[in-house]
Amino acid sequence: MAADIAAQISNGEEAIVGVMIESNINEGRQDIPTLDKGGAAALKKGVSITDACINWESTVDVLTNLAAAVRTRRAGREGGVKRKAEDAL
């Protein structure tokens, strides 16, 4: 998914101005264990208890690729001027 977004940005898509990345130290998500299973003390460190997340290493890769895509999009602008979507067709 992030690679698809980066490709669109690299190809000059101006409608994409931001992304939301669910990220944590470790990937995934977890439920809070019941008291008989240790409760909050049994939670894995660095794993979300709300939304599923990608891990830190993946986050770095995604942000690096998105930043490169933005640089490519900027370099493709004529004189640094924003292109209209119609002009890209």
Side-chain angles (χ1 to χ4, degrees):
M1 178 97 165
D4 293 335
I5 294 169
Q8 290 177 54
I9 293 169
S10 290
N11 290 325
E13 178 58 63
E14 295 285 347
I16 300 172
V17 296
V19 296
M20 180 172 174
I21 302 171
E22 298 286 349
S23 174
N24 210 320
I25 297 168
N26 298 305
E27 70 180 13
R29 70 162 300 280
Q30 62 186 326
D31 292 321
I32 299 174
T34 57
L35 288 176
D36 62 318
K37 293 187 179 176
L43 289 170
K44 297 174 194 162
K45 303 288 185 203
V47 178
S48 176
I49 59 169
T50 55
D51 299 319
C53 296
I54 62 174
N55 65 23
W56 180 254
E57 292 80 15
S58 296
T59 301
V60 171
D61 290 342
V62 166
L63 293 176
T64 299
N65 291 335
L66 288 171
V70 169
R71 285 191 294 275
T72 299
R73 178 172 69 184
R74 288 177 179 164
R77 292 179 181 158
E78 293 179 25
V81 177
K82 194 174 183 179
R83 292 183 296 151
K84 293 181 182 174
E86 306 86 50
D87 295 341
L89 298 177

